[in-house]
């Protein structure tokens, strides 16, 4: 990765207190675990709240240009989820399991979390399942990520964003 954990920690201001030092250590642990699974360039780092627990979401681009998302427990530094991103709904790996349209997924997400859709990503879970990750900003400016299973339309996961560093080149707005 081009960005070092120390650089990340300093940019984020994580290493300015004892609790900040612990946060920087968990970022280090997350990056080390990700590099073992999928070396690549760090594109984006987000801190999320998932069911009341802090997580980091790292977006990595591997040597083949494929983007991967890794969820890492912010307290333990352990990877809890890894998924690849499909370029579109027509990507074969996504399409073969998708029964719910993007519009249906967006409608499901907006019904549960009203706001403005900022981005929709097409993801392939570790088990091969397809899902939509829909970023919604509410009227207070809070960004919520709603992950909807593309096969059955059920909401898989909901998280709120605390902060974000970096941006994907092709990020849709």
């Amino acid at each position: 990765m081009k960005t070092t954990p120390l650089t990340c920690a300093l940019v984020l201001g994580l290493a300015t207190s004892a609790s900040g030092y612990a946060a920087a250590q968990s970022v280090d642990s997350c990056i080390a675990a990700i590099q073992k699974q999928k070396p690549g360039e760090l594109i984006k780092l987000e801190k999320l709240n998932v069911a009341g627990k802090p997580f980091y979401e790292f977006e990595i681009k591997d040597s083949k240009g494929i983007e991967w998302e890794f969820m890492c427990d912010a307290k333990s530094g352990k990877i809890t989820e890894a998924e690849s991103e499909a370029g579109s709904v027509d990507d074969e790996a996504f399409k073969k399991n998708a029964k719910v349209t993007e519009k249906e997924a967006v409608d499901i997400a907006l019904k549960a979390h009203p706001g403005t859709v900022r981005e929709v990503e097409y993801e392939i879970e570790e088990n091969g399942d397809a899902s939509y990750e829909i970023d919604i900003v509410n009227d207070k400016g809070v960004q919520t990520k709603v992950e909807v299973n593309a096969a059955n339309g059920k909401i898989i996961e909901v998280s709120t964003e605390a902060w974000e560093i970096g941006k994907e080149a092709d990020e849709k707005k």
Side-chain angles (χ1 to χ4, degrees):
M1 287 185 198
K2 293 180 180 177
T3 304
T4 68
L6 180 57
T7 303
C8 257
L10 292 174
V11 168
L12 299 175
L14 295 176
T16 59
S17 66
S19 64
Y21 180 76
Q25 291 299 102
S26 69
V27 169
D28 284 351
S29 298
C30 292
I31 289 173
I34 291 166
Q35 286 180 324
K36 285 181 185 172
Q37 285 187 39
K38 187 66 63 182
E41 177 184 352
L42 177 60
I43 299 171
K44 185 164 63 170
L45 170 60
E46 296 174 84
K47 185 167 185 197
L48 304 174
N49 178 321
V50 181
K53 296 180 181 171
F55 282 84
Y56 296 118
E57 181 181 85
F58 292 82
E59 292 200 25
I60 308 295
K61 185 180 281 190
D62 70 15
S63 61
K64 295 177 183 171
I66 297 172
E67 290 185 19
W68 296 82
E69 287 185 1
F70 290 87
M71 290 290 284
C72 185
D73 184 301
K75 291 189 182 212
S76 70
K78 304 260 187 258
I79 301 297
T80 59
E81 180 182 359
E83 55 198 17
S84 63
E85 289 187 21
S88 75
V89 292
D90 294 323
D91 183 290
E92 196 53 47
F94 186 87
K95 195 160 101 173
K96 73 179 182 180
N97 293 319
K99 310 241 181 312
V100 174
T101 67
E102 180 176 337
K103 182 183 180 334
E104 290 168 331
V106 166
D107 289 346
I108 291 164
L110 286 172
K111 183 176 181 185
H113 300 276
T116 303
V117 174
R118 186 176 139 203
E119 179 181 20
V120 178
E121 292 181 342
Y122 317 103
E123 301 181 337
I124 310 300
E125 306 294 324
E126 288 178 289
N127 65 3
D129 286 353
S131 66
Y132 296 95
E133 183 180 275
I134 302 152
D135 292 357
I136 300 169
V137 178
N138 70 14
D139 58 0
K140 293 181 175 78
V142 175
Q143 181 171 311
T144 301
K145 290 177 177 281
V146 181
E147 195 166 343
V148 177
N149 184 302
N152 61 27
K154 292 189 178 178
I155 294 176
I156 300 167
E157 183 178 271
V158 175
S159 61
T160 55
E161 182 180 285
W163 49 255
E164 173 182 321
I165 294 176
K167 193 169 291 274
E168 299 163 273
D170 60 349
E171 191 168 296
K172 303 161 212 73
K173 288 283 183 189

